């Protein structure tokens, strides 16, 4: 069974703005009754909180909705089932895949719900008829033997490929820690053998006790010349660092695919594989689903179930085979004992 030593807390990030500033931020939306205006303001607020990925999703979804609407202003009174249902049908006609459609709808729904919380509109549930779930994902995990292949693959010391190999393993060792959180990880976030970070996507606070395999990798890249644990980023400015991260993320995944082939792994590697692999192996080792969900930083356990649902039958079959083997072995032992007595 996997040995896990983690502590989880949820931290909701609050705006540092004064009540007067927050009121001023909402004024333009109140006056105009404009969903479009509020959405743009929410994108700006989300970026200020350094949630760049979420802000990007919001911006992409808003551009898509506005394009459907003829680039005309969308008011809160427009935001009803009729508009959203028609938008969903338009996306389908354009050949947008189900998960992308769902991502757009979830982003727009999140913005709309925040407007409801601010009292800018009443809750009319305009998204109740459209798909906002997550489809079954293709299996992205690799096997235990593949992890060992990566550990043993020959890489040039000090090369970027060695860094990629080590960080992929670190992501796996750290309970499927997302690559973005590893890239932004600072030395100040490690104290007394405990790594602490907020997931950039969900803001969930996670603490992980460092194991020797994790410390070995951290020590390999230890440097007094930078604040980051790993040498991906250089800038201390959040926006500049995020642009650095985006470039390194692309290169990281490119090198991972090359590394996987060199290691003799049949499945294409990506940053997500370490995360899915940890979830899969934890599930196969009978770690409770809520623990896996918390370790992955999922706020909804349904997302975790999607990660592991493809191996549900495999686990059931494995458990049944193990049980039958134990029963049949015991039966054989009894028969052998009886034969000896005869």
């Amino acid at each position: 069974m996997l040995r896990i030593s983690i502590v989880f807390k949820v931290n909701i990030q609050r705006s540092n703005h004064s009540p007067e500033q927050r009121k001023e931020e909402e004024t333009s939306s109140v006056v105009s009754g404009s969903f479009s205006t509020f959405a743009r303001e929410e994108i700006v607020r989300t970026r200020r909180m350094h949630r760049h990925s979420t802000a990007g999703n919001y911006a992409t979804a808003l551009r898509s909705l506005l394009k459907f609407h003829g680039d005309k202003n969308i008011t809160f009174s427009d935001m009803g089932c009729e508009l959203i249902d028609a938008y969903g049908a338009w996306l389908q006609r354009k050949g947008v895949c189900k998960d992308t459609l769902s991502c757009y709808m979830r982003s727009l729904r999140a913005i709309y719900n925040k407007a409801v919380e601010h009292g800018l509109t009443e809750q009319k549930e305009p998204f109740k008829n459209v798909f906002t779930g997550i489809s079954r994902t293709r299996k992205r995990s690799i096997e235990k033997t593949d992890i060992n292949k990566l550990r043993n693959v020959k890489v040039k010391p000090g090369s970027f490929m060695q860094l990629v190999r080590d960080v992929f393993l670190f992501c796996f060792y750290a309970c499927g820690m997302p690559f973005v959180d590893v890239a932004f990880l600072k030395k100040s976030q490690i104290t007394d053998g405990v790594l602490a970070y907020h997931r950039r996507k969900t803001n969930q606070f996670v603490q992980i006790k460092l194991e020797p395999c994790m410390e070995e990798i951290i020590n390999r890249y230890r440097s007094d010349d930078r604040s980051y644990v790993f040498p991906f980023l250089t800038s201390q400015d959040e926006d500049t660092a995020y642009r650095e991260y985006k470039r390194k993320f692309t290169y990281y995944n490119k090198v991972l695919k090359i590394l996987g082939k060199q290691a003799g792994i049949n499945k294409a590697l990506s940053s997500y594989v370490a995360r899915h692999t940890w979830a899969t192996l934890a599930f196969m080792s009978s770690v409770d689903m809520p623990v896996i969900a918390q370790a992955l930083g999922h706020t909804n356990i349904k997302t975790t179930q999607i990660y592991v649902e493809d191996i549900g039958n495999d686990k059931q079959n494995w458990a049944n085979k193990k049980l039958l083997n134990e029963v049949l072995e015991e039966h054989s032992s009894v028969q052998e004992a009886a034969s000896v007595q005869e």
Side-chain angles (χ1 to χ4, degrees):
M1 184 177 293
L2 288 182
R3 179 170 170 265
I4 304 174
S5 179
I6 43 181
V7 180
F8 303 92
K9 297 177 183 177
V10 176
N11 177 57
I12 302 174
Q13 188 167 348
R14 302 291 186 183
S15 170
N16 293 325
H17 297 173
S18 66
E20 291 76 14
Q21 286 175 309
R22 287 197 293 270
K23 184 176 181 180
E24 183 179 345
E25 287 174 347
E26 296 169 11
T27 299
S28 58
S29 300
V30 174
V31 172
S32 65
S34 171
F35 173 80
S36 305
T37 301
F38 177 79
R40 293 188 182 98
E41 292 170 352
E42 189 58 34
I43 291 166
V44 171
R45 281 193 288 269
T46 305
R47 284 205 174 101
R48 282 179 189 155
M49 297 166 67
H50 306 309
R51 296 174 61 196
H52 297 281
S53 179
T54 301
N57 289 340
Y58 286 176
T60 301
L62 179 62
R63 281 196 301 270
S64 175
L65 180 62
L66 287 172
K67 184 177 181 181
F68 160 73
H69 202 245
D71 291 320
K72 297 181 293 185
N73 177 56
I74 300 174
T75 64
F76 285 116
S77 60
D78 292 328
M79 289 294 291
C81 288
E82 184 177 352
L83 173 70
I84 300 304
D85 291 352
Y87 171 54
W90 178 77
L91 289 174
Q92 289 179 317
R93 288 196 301 272
K94 287 175 63 67
V96 173
C97 75
K98 194 174 183 181
D99 283 337
T100 300
L101 183 154
S102 176
C103 182
Y104 289 171
M105 293 299 184
R106 292 198 311 273
S107 294
L108 294 169
R109 184 179 62 185
I111 297 171
Y112 177 83
N113 287 343
K114 289 183 183 186
V116 173
E117 290 173 8
H118 286 301
L120 302 181
T121 185
E122 62 182 24
Q123 179 60 265
K124 296 181 290 185
E125 298 187 0
F127 299 90
K128 64 183 179 181
N129 298 328
V130 294
F131 178 68
T132 55
I134 303 173
S135 298
R136 176 178 295 193
T137 60
R138 67 184 186 278
K139 192 172 180 181
R140 290 175 170 177
S141 63
I142 56 178
E143 306 296 331
K144 290 180 183 178
T145 54
D146 293 325
I147 293 294
N148 288 322
K149 287 179 182 178
L150 283 174
R151 292 180 61 196
N152 296 327
V153 67
K154 299 297 182 183
V155 292
K156 183 180 178 181
S159 65
F160 189 75
M161 184 168 284
Q162 182 186 36
L163 173 63
V164 168
R165 188 274 306 273
D166 289 346
V167 168
F168 181 90
L169 291 173
F170 185 87
C171 290
F172 170 74
Y173 296 154
C175 302
M177 187 173 177
F179 173 71
V180 62
D181 296 315
V182 173
F184 277 89
L185 183 65
K186 292 189 174 182
K187 289 183 284 188
S188 59
Q189 293 174 262
I190 300 177
T191 307
D192 297 328
V194 175
L195 181 160
Y197 72 100
H198 286 87
R199 272 209 66 198
R200 297 180 75 85
K201 184 174 181 179
T202 63
N203 204 40
Q204 184 165 350
F205 181 62
V206 182
Q207 289 182 315
I208 302 174
K209 181 181 180 299
L210 293 182
E211 299 296 339
C213 56
M214 299 164 67
E215 291 179 327
E216 178 185 355
I217 293 175
I218 289 173
N219 291 334
R220 188 172 299 144
Y221 298 94
R222 192 176 298 281
S223 172
D224 295 331
D225 298 330
R226 66 172 184 271
S227 60
Y228 295 105
V229 173
F230 297 106
F232 289 109
L233 310 178
T234 58
S235 178
Q236 298 303 309
D237 176 72
E238 176 69 25
D239 294 334
T240 304
Y242 188 75
R243 288 192 292 271
E244 280 188 282
Y245 156 74
K246 293 290 284 184
R247 291 192 297 270
K248 293 293 176 66
F249 176 69
T250 300
Y251 192 39
Y252 175 80
N253 276 317
K254 182 178 180 180
V255 174
L256 260 182
K257 287 179 172 57
I258 298 171
L259 179 67
K261 290 179 181 178
Q262 289 188 6
I265 298 173
N266 295 326
K267 189 166 294 184
L269 297 185
S270 73
S271 62
Y272 300 105
V273 171
R275 189 164 170 77
H276 281 253
T277 300
W278 186 88
T280 298
L281 296 182
F283 182 68
M284 292 296 290
S285 297
S286 299
V287 176
D288 291 339
M289 188 70 76
V291 174
I292 298 174
Q294 289 179 315
L296 295 173
H298 289 160
T299 55
N300 189 336
I301 200 169
K302 290 181 180 179
T303 305
T304 314
Q305 290 170 336
I306 291 170
Y307 270 54
V308 301
E309 67 179 357
D310 286 338
I311 62 169
N313 288 336
D314 290 343
K315 182 178 180 182
Q316 174 185 311
N317 294 335
W318 172 83
N320 186 48
K321 182 177 180 179
K322 183 173 180 290
L323 174 64
L324 294 180
N325 285 342
E326 290 174 355
V327 171
L328 294 176
E329 284 175 7
E330 183 175 336
H331 177 70
S332 297
S333 298
V334 171
Q335 283 188 321
E336 289 175 6
S339 297
V340 170
Q341 288 177 354
E342 291 176 358

